């Protein structure tokens, strides 16, 4: 195929020549009309999704969903965007979980803000890669400015730095990686990057609370320390790490001949939305020269509220922090960051490739974000979404959304507590409430009833609640994550839960 320049005639009319028609599906300078058409049609489906999906879930069962997808022959393409989008409707959109509805109250999925969606249009089409300046230009500096801005919200000095990542799990991995390698370099004069794990690496210990995110365990494994390296510290009545028990746990490991290297505190636990006592934990960390990583994947939204910012007091004492903008900053997936208090520590991650970021390059003059990236080379310009959000909506508005969520959660907690049909396990700093339906005489049946309720609601598609186990017992879990959700919405959900609980008792 000859794809040289258009002739004058075609250029005037802006029509594609036969050759160019063959290439119309490539995003390029002569494909304006095709691009506009495709995006417009796709966008119509998005507005239909908002119009048509009135329940958070269709209730479709996995076997039916699977066979719909299985029946597609991937080797026979569809003739036009209309049929393509019709198929996508059947296979995806109709059955997609609608996080923006108040009846979706299950996991840490936020509704997303529209300026970030506008940014997505630019991000995916222009498709910059953030690894080097020559692949991103403005993208590099926009990302850097947002990292600096986030560092400032944390309370770090200008000595901080960081990078956008794919998610909180990855950011937590970076935290533990730096903790491990820094420990070895500083205290053992051992360079893990060059020489692999030191002989006593199997003695390294990382302290997390009982309610810390599971990514800590996976990350310890990925880092070659094994899950055995994770020491669970007991929690208080609100499932926050207990600093006294932390101190004891550290002493116990030292006594056993093991080597404490780091603590991960959680600012906003996934199960309870509570913030570990950061200042007290930081004191313990500094007493023992341990790296302190704060996992604020969920709690980072508190950075933006004036009213509740105090809950994160002490976060500025951490050596590194995980931020999930795609949770508490209402950003579309993916958008996260890893921030480190002392930028020199990021040097541990640097690796030079001659074709991309050669060693002799002056990175002040010609920056390369890849120097700070742990596993992604080619990396999306996710930062633009946060940029659009801050530039259009402003930080204050985001903070107020979080205030609203916290207050709705407080009202909900009070409402659940006064209803004898329910037992609330504990209050939340942010918006996660763990409770169960307890109406009925036989306590041994509580787990079954609550499991029944959750499943029944899920397959009706009416309401999506989550669940968790506490001390081996099954509980329902509300994650209140939508500022549009009102106490009244939640009262209706609780009414449905009650109805289903009563149904179960009639059936059994
Ligand atoms: C969600 C979550 C994570 C993991 O973040 P991802 O973006 O899902 O990888 C880590 N820690 C906590 C406390 C979380 O809630």
């Amino acid at each position: 195929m000859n794809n040289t320049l258009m002739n004058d005639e075609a250029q005037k009319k802006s029509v594609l020549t036969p050759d160019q028609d063959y290439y119309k599906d490539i995003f390029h300078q002569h494909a304006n009309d095709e691009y506009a058409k495709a995006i417009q049609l796709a966008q119509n489906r998005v507005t239909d999704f908002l119009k048509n999906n009135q329940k958070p879930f269709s209730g479709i069962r996995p076997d039916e969903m699977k066979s719909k997808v299985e029946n597609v022959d991937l080797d026979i393409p569809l003739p036009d965007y209309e049929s393509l989008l019709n198929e996508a409707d059947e296979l995806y959109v109709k059955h997609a979980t609608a996080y923006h509805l108040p009846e979706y109250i299950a996991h840490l999925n936020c509704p997303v803000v529209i300026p970030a969606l506008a940014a997505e249009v630019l991000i995916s089409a222009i498709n910059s890669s953030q690894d080097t300046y020559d692949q991103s230009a403005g993208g590099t500096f926009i990302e850097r400015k947002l990292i600096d801005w986030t560092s400032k919200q944390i309370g770090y000095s200008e000595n901080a730095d960081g990078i956008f990542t794919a998610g909180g799990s990855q950011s937590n991995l970076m935290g533990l990686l730096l903790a491990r390698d820094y420990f070895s370099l500083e205290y053992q004069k051992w360079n893990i990057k060059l020489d692999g794990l030191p002989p006593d690496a199997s003695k390294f210990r990382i302290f997390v609370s009982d309610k810390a995110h599971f990514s800590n365990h996976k990350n310890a494994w990925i880092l070659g320390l094994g899950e055995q390296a994770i020491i669970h510290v007991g929690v208080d009545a609100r499932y926050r790490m207990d600093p006294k028990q932390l101190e004891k746990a550290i002493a116990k490991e030292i006594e056993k001949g093991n080597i404490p290297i780091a603590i991960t505190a959680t600012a906003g636990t996934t199960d309870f939305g509570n913030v570990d006592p950061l200042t007290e934990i930081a004191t313990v960390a500094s007493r023992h020269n341990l790296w302190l990583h704060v996992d604020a994947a969920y709690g980072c939204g508190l950075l933006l509220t004036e009213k509740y910012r105090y809950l994160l007091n002490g976060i500025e004492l951490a050596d590194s922090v995980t931020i999930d903008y795609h949770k508490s900053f209402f950003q579309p997936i993916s958008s996260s960051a890893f921030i480190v208090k002392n930028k020199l520590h990021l040097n541990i991650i640097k690796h030079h490739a001659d074709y991309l970021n050669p060693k002799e390059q002056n990175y002040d003059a010609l920056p390369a974000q890849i120097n700070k990236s742990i596993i992604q080379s080619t990396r999306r310009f996710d930062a633009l979404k946060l940029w659009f959000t801050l530039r259009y909506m402003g930080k204050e508005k985001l903070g107020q959304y979080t205030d609203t969520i916290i207050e709705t959660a407080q009202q909900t907690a009070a409402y659940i507590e006064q209803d004898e049909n329910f037992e609330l396990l504990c209050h939340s700093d942010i918006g996660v409430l763990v409770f169960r339906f307890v109406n009925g005489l036989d306590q041994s049946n509580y787990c079954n009833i609550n499991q029944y309720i959750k499943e029944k609601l899920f397959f009706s598609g009416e309401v999506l609640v989550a669940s968790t186990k506490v001390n081996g017992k099954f509980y329902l879990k509300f994650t209140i994550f939508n500022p549009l959700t009102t106490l009244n919405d939640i009262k209706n959900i609780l009414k449905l839960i009650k109805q289903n609980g009563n149904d179960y008792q009639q059936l059994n």
Side-chain angles (χ1 to χ4, degrees):
M1 277 276 172
N2 170 9
N3 65 347
T4 49
L5 291 172
M6 297 171 107
N7 62 37
D8 287 353
E9 186 64 11
Q11 212 157 21
K12 252 181 247 153
K13 286 194 210 152
S14 183
V15 244
L16 298 172
T17 65
D19 274 3
Q20 284 156 349
D21 189 59
Y22 184 77
Y23 292 116
K24 72 179 176 10
D25 300 321
I26 295 179
F27 178 74
H28 75 297
Q29 67 274 32
H30 302 302
N32 234 323
D33 293 348
E34 187 69 10
Y35 171 72
K37 183 181 79 184
I39 296 299
Q40 184 57 55
L41 289 170
Q43 191 195 307
N44 294 345
R45 298 303 171 124
V46 178
T47 44
D48 286 350
F49 169 70
L50 287 180
K51 210 163 36 191
N52 299 337
N53 292 46
Q54 297 294 334
K55 296 194 299 180
F57 181 46
S58 70
I60 192 168
R61 302 238 163 211
D63 48 354
E64 195 190 340
M65 192 77 257
K66 181 178 178 200
S67 77
K68 276 177 185 279
V69 175
E70 290 289 306
N71 283 336
V72 170
D73 185 343
L74 287 176
D75 295 328
I76 306 175
L78 294 164
D80 48 38
Y81 278 105
E82 224 25 80
S83 6
L84 178 61
L85 289 160
N86 285 340
E87 184 183 272
D89 246 0
E90 290 305 318
L91 299 182
Y92 172 53
V93 181
K94 267 188 191 168
H95 308 289
T97 313
Y99 300 147
H100 59 277
L101 295 173
E103 293 79 16
Y104 180 82
I105 194 165
H107 301 287
L108 282 168
N109 304 106
C110 54
V112 294
V113 291
I114 291 173
L117 296 179
E120 282 282 11
V121 176
L122 273 71
I123 294 166
S124 62
I126 300 174
N127 200 32
S128 300
S129 179
Q130 290 290 85
D131 26 3
T132 53
Y133 181 77
D134 69 339
Q135 298 175 75
S136 64
T140 289
F141 291 102
I142 285 175
E143 173 169 356
R144 287 186 162 196
K145 194 170 167 84
L146 288 167
I147 291 290
D148 292 346
W149 176 86
T150 306
S151 305
K152 202 168 136 200
Q153 310 307 312
I154 291 171
Y156 281 163
S157 74
E158 280 174 7
N159 206 24
D161 199 2
I163 185 137
F164 272 64
T165 67
S169 305
Q170 185 186 345
S171 297
N172 283 345
L173 176 63
M174 292 183 76
L176 290 187
L177 172 80
L178 293 195
R180 183 197 68 176
D181 287 35
Y182 170 76
F183 178 86
S184 243
L185 273 175
E186 181 73 13
Y187 301 108
Q188 305 184 310
K189 307 297 165 213
W190 183 281
N191 188 334
I192 295 183
K193 189 164 151 196
L194 299 179
D195 301 323
L197 291 173
D200 54 5
S202 67
K203 293 185 179 166
F204 286 5
R205 292 294 178 267
I206 297 155
F207 298 81
V208 309
S209 89
D210 268 347
K211 292 297 162 196
H213 193 257
F214 67 86
S215 56
N216 287 295
H217 303 75
K218 285 182 111 171
N219 292 338
W221 155 58
I222 292 168
L223 291 170
L225 307 177
E227 290 191 7
Q228 57 108 32
I230 298 287
I231 301 296
H232 285 259
V233 177
V235 290
D236 66 12
R238 284 179 69 161
Y239 301 91
R240 298 171 293 205
M241 185 187 280
D242 176 352
K244 285 202 189 77
Q245 296 196 52
L246 170 63
E247 189 68 72
K248 273 189 204 149
I250 293 170
K252 191 168 148 198
E253 291 307 310
I254 293 172
E255 203 178 291
K256 282 190 196 162
N258 290 326
I259 308 169
I261 62 163
I263 303 168
T264 297
T266 312
T269 51
T270 316
D271 261 2
F272 293 97
N274 284 325
V275 180
D276 286 347
L278 302 177
T279 307
E280 287 160 272
I281 293 171
T283 307
V284 179
S286 105
R287 184 159 40 229
H288 294 276
N289 289 326
L290 302 181
W291 185 281
L292 175 59
H293 178 72
V294 171
D295 176 0
Y298 173 29
C300 58
L302 296 168
L303 289 173
L304 306 185
T305 117
E306 273 186 31
K307 241 169 152 174
Y308 300 102
R309 173 63 178 79
Y310 71 92
L311 288 164
L312 292 180
N313 284 351
I315 193 172
E316 71 285 355
L317 302 170
D319 294 291
S320 54
V321 176
T322 287
I323 302 281
D324 254 2
Y325 306 111
H326 65 211
K327 283 181 179 162
S328 295
F329 283 57
F330 308 98
Q331 297 295 294
I333 305 159
S334 298
S335 182
S336 296
F338 173 72
I339 314 274
V340 63
K341 181 161 65 183
N342 178 354
K343 61 178 154 212
L344 291 179
H345 288 143
L346 273 179
N347 285 338
I348 288 172
I349 286 168
K350 216 181 277 177
H351 179 89
H352 293 290
D354 287 337
Y355 76 94
L356 199 60
N357 56 340
K359 197 166 184 170
E360 61 280 6
Q361 185 167 315
N362 173 355
Y363 289 97
D364 291 328
L366 201 56
Q369 291 295 90
I370 190 160
N371 290 343
K372 308 172 200 173
S373 174
I374 177 180
I375 40 180
Q376 293 161 290
S377 311
T378 307
R379 196 165 51 87
R380 284 188 105 228
F381 182 25
D382 285 316
L384 190 67
K385 294 181 283 193
L386 180 60
W387 184 270
F388 269 42
T389 304
L390 292 176
R391 299 301 296 134
Y392 183 76
M393 291 172 58
K395 154 188 167 172
E396 208 169 295
K397 199 167 184 183
L398 287 181
Q400 285 161 359
Y401 286 177
T402 298
D403 291 345
T404 305
I405 287 167
I406 291 174
E407 279 142 30
T408 305
Q410 287 169 354
Q411 293 164 0
T412 304
Y415 184 80
I416 292 177
E417 267 184 327
Q418 57 78 44
D419 188 332
E420 62 191 16
N421 290 284
F422 298 115
E423 174 189 87
L424 180 73
L425 206 54
C426 95
H427 285 250
S428 180
D429 287 336
I430 316 173
V432 189
L433 297 172
V434 174
F435 67 100
R436 57 184 184 169
F437 178 80
V438 292
N439 184 4
L441 299 177
D442 188 3
Q443 282 217 19
S444 65
N445 244 340
Y446 285 172
C447 290
N448 293 337
I449 296 185
N450 285 281
Q451 215 150 0
Y452 169 88
I453 293 170
K454 183 194 167 192
E455 206 168 309
K456 212 56 191 170
L457 289 174
F458 178 74
F459 285 113
S460 77
E462 301 282 346
V463 170
L464 264 60
V465 302
S467 60
T468 191
K469 276 193 189 147
V470 182
N471 298 327
K473 301 214 169 82
F474 187 93
Y475 284 84
L476 299 175
K477 179 169 118 175
F478 279 171
T479 306
I480 298 166
F481 217 8
N482 187 343
L484 290 165
T485 299
T486 63
L487 180 62
N488 255 338
D489 293 324
I490 296 174
K491 283 183 184 171
N492 288 332
I493 294 171
L494 287 165
K495 206 189 286 174
L496 272 176
I497 290 177
K498 229 184 279 186
Q499 263 169 28
N500 280 283
N502 291 331
D503 287 352
Y504 176 91
Q505 285 169 323
Q506 308 246 299
L507 291 168
N508 288 276

